Every structure is written in C-alpha cells, then in structure tokens.
Amino acid sequence: MSGTDWRNLAISAALLGLAALLPVYGSPYWLTMGTTMAMFVVLATSWALFSGPTHYISLATAAFFGIGTFVTGLGFQSLPFWVLPPLAAIIGAGLAALVGLVTLRLSGVYFVIFTLGLAEMVRQVVTWVQNQTGHRGMYVLTSITEREIYWMLVGLGALVFLAGWLIGRSRLGFALRIIGNDETVAKHAGIDTALAKVALFMVPGAVAAATGAILAPRYIYIEPATAFAPLLSFQVVIMALLGGTGRLWGPIAGVIPFSLLWEAITRQAPNQTLLLLGIAFLVIVYLLPGGFVGLWDRLRRRFGGHS
Amino acid sequence: MFILITGLLLGGTYALIALGLNLQYGVARIMNLANGEMLVAGGFAAFWLYTAGQVNPVAALIVIAPVAFVANWLIYRFMLQPLVKRAKSRGALEVDSILATFGMSFAFVGIMTWAFGGGYFNYAFLAQPLEMFGSSYAQNRVVAFVLAVVIGGALWLWLTYSRVGLNLRAVAVNPASASLVGVDVRRASALAFALGGAVTATGGALVSMFFTLDASVGVLFTMKALIIIIMGGVGDIRGTIVAAVILGIAETAVARLIDPGLTLAAAYLLFLLVLLFRPAGLFGKARG
Amino acid sequence: MSRTVLQVRNVTKRFGGLVAVNDVSFDVTEHSVMGLIGPNGSGKSTMINMISGSFAPTSGSIRLEGHELAGKPAHKVARLGVGRTFQLVRLLPELSVLDNVIAGAAFGHRRRWGAEAKAHALTLIERLGLSAVMGMPVSALTYIDTKRVELARALAGEPEVLLLDEWLAGLNPTELGTGIALIRSLRDEGRTIILVEHVMDAIRSLCDRCVVMSSGAKIAEGSPAEVLSDPEVIRAYLGDDDA
Ligand SMILES: Nc1ncnc2c1ncn2[C@@H]1O[C@H](COP(=O)(O)OP(=O)(O)OP(=O)(O)O)[C@@H](O)[C@H]1O
Ligand SMILES: [Mg+2]
C-alpha cells in the first residue's frame, strides 16, 4: 500500500468512527435521519460498484431489499437475528446471479427493463403466495433498537467500502471497467464478460438483501406492497448518479443532499416527490453528467490540478 | 374461447401501444421509458373531453393524435436531440436516453397528479355488452380493438408503401447507409418519435374506454410495451402484433384461471422465456 | 520445415443468404507473416472475425496448435493465443494509454497482473514509440498513435498468432514507412502474424506468403510475387467480373 492509501484509510476510519458515534451525540430525529442515510449510502455505494463501471442501470434494488425484509420476517422467530442478514445476502446474491445470467448477455436496455419489473413481479408472486396460504402481512416484533440497526448499517457500509476498495484494485474491477468502455475489446482481450458481470452484480444483490434484513425490525409490520416499493430502486439510482460513480465516495456525496431534500419535500409537499425525482433525473442528465464527482474533477482540472 | 377472444381484444390495443414505442426505439433509437405516461395523458385527454365536453372518445382522437404528435416532436427536438448529438457511442446514448426519459416519466406523473389528483379515472362509454360466439363482451373493448386494427393497419400500409415510410425503415435498418442515399436521418428520427408518441396517445385514448387509469399507471404500460417489443423483435411489425396478442391472451388466461393479481408476473414469465430462448425476438434470426 | 501454428480447414460463413466466406482453407506457419488480401467485401474481415471468435463459422474447422477454435467464444480464443486489432480502431476511451495496454496483458494468453503487468506494458509502450504520449488522454492521440496503442494491447497478451486487420490503412506516406518498419520488426522477433492489407508495398515487403480471397473464396495462395502476378488475382482486383 502506498502513502496515499494509508492516508485514505486513516480518513475513512476517522469518518467511520464519527458516523458510528451519531447515536451518542445526535437527537432521536437525527438518529432516524442517519439510519435512512446509512441505508442509502450502503445501497447506493454497492449499486455503483456494479452499475458505475458497466453502465448497466439496475433497478432491482427494491426486489433484493424486499426479499431481505421477508427473510427477517419469516426467520426472526426461529433463528438468531445475526444469522439473518448473511442469510439474506446469500439469497440476494443467488437471485442476482440468476437475473444476471438471463439478462447480462444482452444489451443494457434489456437489463433495465427486466430489473424495472423485477420488484413488481416478485411482489405479485409473494402476494399471491400469501393469499394462497391465508397470510397477509407479518409483524416483526424484536427487541432490536434503532441504534442497533444504525450500527449494523454502519458496519455493513464499512464492509461495502472495503469490498469496493478491494474490487477496484482487483482484476475483476479492472475487467468491469474495460467492459464498460468496450465490451468487444474486453472479449478479445480474454475477459469472460458474462461471468465478470454476473459475479459483480451479485455484490449489490447481496448487499441490498442484507440491508432489507437489517431494516425489517424498523418497519414492525411488513407487507409486500411496502417491502417491494419500486420507488426505492429509483432513489438509489438518483443518489448514486447525483454523487457520481467515478469514485468510491461519490454516492455518499449524492445521498446526503438528496436525502435531506427528499425529507424536506415529503414533509412540505408530499405530492411533489415524484416531480422531484423526475427533475433530479433530468438535472443529472443535462446539467451534471458524472455527478458531483464529475464536477469536482472538472473544477480541479480547471484550477490547476491541486486538490 | 372467451379467454382467447378477450385476450385478442386486449392484444389488439397492446399492439398499437407497442407499435408506437417500437417506432421510437427502432427508428429514433430512443428507448422511451416515458411512453406509458404519454399513454395515460392520451387517456386523460379522452376522459376529460368526454366528461367535460361530451365528446365521443372516437371523435376525440382527431384532436388527441395531432396534439400528441406535436408534443412528442417538441420533446424529441429539444430534449432528446441534444443527447443524440453529444453521445459518443450508441451505449452512451442508451444510458442517457434511459435516464432522461425516466426523468420525464416521473415529471409527467408528478404533473398529472398535481393537475388531476391521484384518483382513478374512468367513464362509461359503450359499456353495454355485445353478444358474440355465445359469450358477451363489452362493446367498448370491441370498438377499441377495431380502431386499433384500423389505425395499426393504416400505419403499416403507410410504412410499407409510402416514400416517407420507406425512409423511416431505411433509418431503422442502418442510419449511416440511409444518410448515404440521401435520407435526412435527423428529420426521420424526429418524425418517427413524434409519430410513435401520437400512436401511443391514441392507444391511451382507446384503453381509457375500458380501463381505469390513474396518474401513476403509465409505467405498467411501458413495461408491457417493452416486453412486447423485445418478444416481437425491434423494428418487426409482424412480430410486435403476434407478441401483443400472445401477451393479451396470456394475461387474460392467468387473470381468469389463476389470479388477476398475477398479470405482470405472467408477462414476465413470457419475457423470461423469450430472453432465454429467442433473445432476438420471436421471428428474429439467432445471432451467429 | 517450420511448424504449422494455425490451421484453417474448409471454413464457410453465411449471413442469411450471403456467403461471406466460402470453403476456405490455409495454414499459417510459426514465425511467419501470412498476408490475407483481396478486394473490398471479399470476406477478409469475416475470416479474421471467425479466427478470433467474434462469431462461429457456419461450417469448417480452425485449429490453433491442436485446439479447435471454431465455435469458441472470443475470450477463450484470446486465452488460447489469438490477439487482434480491429479494422476500425477500438480503444478504451476512459482509460489511460498505460491501462489500455495493461488491459491486453491482464487477461490474455500469457497473463500478468500488478507490477509485472505494468512493467510489461511499459516495455511495449517504449518499444512501439508511445512513451512521449503516455500521459495524454486516449481521445487526444493522433491516428497512428491510436493504432499503436491498439497494437500494443494486442501484443501485451503475447499471442501465438496476431491478427492485424488493415492495421496500415489510413496512414499517410511517412507514417506508412514507420508502420511497415514496425511490423517488420515484429516479424524479425519471430511473431506469427496474419496481415489483412490493401497496401501493395506492405504486402510485398512484409509477407512470407499470401492468401487471396475474392467473393468469399480463396483464389490463390503463394509468395507475394507469385500471387500478385497471377492473372486470376489481377482480374479479381480489376473487377472485370462486375463483382
Ligand atoms: N455481420 C454481418 N452481417 C451480414 N453481412 C456481413 C456481416 N459482416 C460482413 N458481412 C458481409 O460479408 C461480406 C464480406 O465482408 P468483409 O467485411 O469480410 O469484407 P472485407 O474483405 O473485410 O472487406 P474490406 O476490404 O472492405 O474490409 C460483405 O458483403 C459484407 O457486407
Ligand atoms: Mg475488412
């Protein structure tokens, strides 16, 4: 590891420590806000690990997340809680592998469309199964507090950053960047592009499912319509792209302002959230391609290249 | 039999909607994910004209189609063409247009919710039953189907035999060589996009005769249209029609026989089968 | 007699009704440059695409040192030892020149990673005369430099056979001289190369043997001097059969 690596590691550790202390110094309001933000940081960062380099826009987050909440919903009475997030991660990764095998051989449009409907399809199937078996929603009554949820998310976030850092230095990460540039070249350079894409797509699948499993106790009552709400997928895409996927820290830069804005809008004009989402997409495409990371890089280049 | 005919009636309207999107994607190379909102807007317009002005939805098409044409032309010209121009590759355009049209989609839903509220819209037009082959069908479904067939047929004839239609098809096959033989690709793309939007809005007006719409239902139609296009093959009119009918029948069958809550799951199953076994579309040649 | 590295047998490729390559066979021997020539649209790139695994032949066999390549996906073919450049240059626009070359080293026939890959790529960059432009973004390179980067990427995996699809096309006369010298130096290193080319000077001075294609079929094979004086080849090039 080089000097900058050590520096970045020190900064990250300090920030992580600071984030972990939030429940100690923050008010309950900020703890709630912080939990939401931590959730989006985890989701958006893991989303960007795959979708950033490959430019495949995944809208499957809600599907994986919903499955994670159901893992907890079904399992919390019979299994110790700490087993559930890893279990959800394994299931999420497996589902991601299946989805990837079917769609990732094809062009990006197919992938977007497939993932767009995935959450809705899983929701319909789960609802149907529940109707057949006579269950509706379920109660997740645990002794887990919001603080603990928050800490688990921070821990998961640390894992995601570590994974992202390792992937960025690995052959797999490099292969994905080549694929994102030119898939034909990638194949002729010797990269098994289908395998590489599927392998990396399993990461956001696993992370989103684990996140859902961790957050399930917060919702207390789980039903398919809320667990698989497709809005979540779009929020994650917006936040990741707004921050920029060119750097590991990019998505955080999108999550923080967008969560605050979202919170303000939902409080004051709850009917306008979709309009906000739409405008955010348009802003990203027309004004901020590359997100804040791209802007930051452009500014740095313009002003002499020193940071 | 009942399922087959109901499915066919539904499939006819789906075909028209998918044809609109297929024109936009096939010729203008824009995967328009705001397509469903254009449909809902067409439906709302029909609803509004019917309830406020007592205008027959069939007659309303005469207004709705041209307005949608102009609106879509403007969208293409001012929102999408800049993306086409700056795109370095087909892939970059794909990502940009997906994001931009998602943005438009959400913005439209937001605006429509704001203007019309979040409630459901339907109106009773020709809701009486019609007896056919021993079962009864809602008249409005039959009328919508007949209109879809007539409009779709006219479109097909026009694309196949007119000079402009030929140009559009040339651009669909290969923009570079089309421009070599003197086709103005940019104009053809704008025309196809506008036309596709008009067809979709028309489809929306037809759907509104028998289907309850609300501001946020558009994405469901977008998804169905996309599944149909992929099933039928991009740019393949015959494939689109067959795929739409298959989807209509499959949905009706699942809704009748298993559970109406599973229609999208049924569409997905079809989609999955196509992706697995015929990724180039029902009639597409497997790629070498 | 030197060893045969690549063996093409009765290879045919149809695109719908069009027969782009029709029952073509030839051998490529180790440490030699094989010219693949013919008029526009005669099927040369299609042949290259089949050897490199872009698509499978409709029928026939392509063997690299005993391994069947026909029908194998491109990445497997690349790992078995086929490197290529593209008729229309393809670089990785968001990557640096160095990373473009490392891309070839990291996943190819002879795989390298980390410091070793970097050192190897730097050697190639130096060798192809790219050191001066190494810091530039790929989009700012001159045409010949983009071709050099692509060649370096193809060489970085140390392929058994290198396929160059009109690598010299589009160069101006001075660049052409440099380019020809560069390929000659590769030949002198003992690389095995298939060279698709229209530039006659290059064919004469670089190729050990030539295969001539016309309308998908092989119409001649031999030394450059032999094939270029073959009346059938001349007819194919002058196109008196309205092809
Ligand atoms: N993917 C494809 N689909 C359909 N036809 C193709 C395809 N690729 C090539 N062809 C056709 O096959 C024939 C041979 O093309 P090819 O590119 O191999 O010629 P070439 O000898 O490389 O020509 P040039 O010297 O112009 O590069 C042409 O008629 C071409 O149009
Ligand atoms: Mg060629």
Side-chain angles (χ1 to χ4, degrees), chain A residues 1 49 158-174 200 248, chain C residues 113:
Chain A
M1 297 216 304
L49 286 182
L159 276 180
V160 169
F161 272 87
L162 185 66
W165 184 72
L166 290 173
I167 290 170
R169 299 160 55 100
S170 72
R171 270 200 166 131
L172 179 61
F174 189 47
L200 201 54
L248 204 49
Chain C
W113 185 241

Side-chain angles (χ1 to χ4, degrees), chain C residues 167-168 175-185 199 201-202 205-206:
Chain C
W167 191 80
L168 296 166
E175 291 172 339
L176 194 60
T178 325
I180 291 178
L182 185 59
I183 295 178
R184 182 172 306 116
S185 72
V199 183
D201 284 347
S205 68
L206 292 173

Side-chain angles (χ1 to χ4, degrees), chain B:
Chain B
M1 191 66 198
F2 179 79
I3 289 173
L4 282 183
I5 293 181
T6 312
L8 184 70
L9 294 181
L10 188 62
T13 330
Y14 281 174
L16 192 65
I17 298 164
L19 223 52
L21 185 58
N22 211 342
L23 264 177
Q24 297 184 327
Y25 186 53
V27 181
R29 300 280 195 280
I30 298 284
M31 183 43 93
N32 181 10
L33 297 170
N35 188 265
E37 278 64 45
M38 194 45 68
L39 179 146
V40 173
F44 273 14
F47 166 81
W48 185 73
L49 287 169
Y50 186 73
T51 45
Q54 297 298 310
V55 183
N56 177 329
V58 179
L61 293 180
I62 300 169
V63 185
I64 293 173
V67 171
F69 185 90
V70 173
N72 277 277
W73 189 84
L74 291 173
I75 290 175
Y76 185 79
R77 182 68 195 69
F78 292 103
M79 306 277 301
L80 299 171
Q81 221 168 52
L83 298 182
V84 175
K85 270 190 212 147
R86 86 173 187 205
K88 291 199 197 88
S89 65
R90 176 120 195 237
L93 176 61
E94 203 172 275
V95 172
D96 274 351
S97 61
I98 285 171
L99 295 178
T101 55
F102 260 138
M104 290 176 209
S105 155
F106 280 114
F108 287 155
V109 174
I111 292 169
M112 285 193 287
T113 318
W114 176 64
F116 298 98
Y120 295 96
F121 288 86
N122 64 352
Y123 54 92
F125 169 69
L126 291 178
Q128 307 86 330
L130 178 74
E131 293 293 327
M132 276 193 315
F133 312 107
S135 314
S136 62
Y137 304 90
Q139 275 181 18
N140 48 29
R141 282 186 184 246
V142 179
V143 170
F145 174 76
V146 171
L147 280 172
V149 170
V150 169
I151 295 169
L155 192 65
W156 180 76
L157 286 175
W158 182 77
L159 278 176
T160 319
Y161 295 109
S162 79
R163 165 106 210 125
V164 185
L166 185 71
N167 286 353
L168 291 192
R169 285 187 300 135
V171 175
V173 174
N174 188 336
S177 24
S179 72
L180 284 182
V181 296
V183 178
D184 183 341
V185 174
R186 237 196 269 166
R187 265 193 55 194
S189 300
L191 176 65
F193 193 87
L195 198 63
V199 170
T200 305
T202 306
L206 297 183
V207 166
S208 73
M209 294 190 215
F210 60 86
F211 200 93
T212 307
L213 295 173
D214 68 275
S216 61
V217 79
V219 62
L220 218 61
F221 284 98
T222 307
M223 219 135 65
K224 285 178 187 172
L226 292 169
I227 292 177
I228 290 169
I229 293 183
I230 291 170
M231 238 159 80
V234 174
D236 182 344
I237 293 184
R238 181 185 54 155
T240 302
I241 293 168
V242 174
V245 172
I246 292 178
L247 185 68
I249 292 174
E251 277 191 0
T252 315
V254 168
R256 285 260 147 200
L257 304 175
I258 309 177
D259 187 336
L262 285 175
T263 49
L264 190 79
Y268 246 66
L269 189 65
L270 278 176
F271 188 25
L272 199 66
L273 292 175
V274 169
L275 286 184
L276 282 176
F277 300 110
R278 300 221 55 110
L282 289 175
F283 301 105
K285 287 170 214 83
R287 280 171 292 183

Side-chain angles (χ1 to χ4, degrees), chain C residues 210-221:
Chain C
C210 283
V211 166
V212 189
M213 292 180 68
S214 174
S215 309
K218 178 171 103 173
I219 57 169
E221 181 173 356

Side-chain angles (χ1 to χ4, degrees), chain A residues 9 18 28 53 87-88 101 106 140 156-157 173 180 189 192 202 211-212 231 240 246 286 304:
Chain A
L9 188 68
L18 209 61
L87 182 65
L101 283 174
L106 307 165
V140 182
L156 184 59
D192 187 342
M202 289 164 74
T211 310
L231 195 60
Y286 292 97

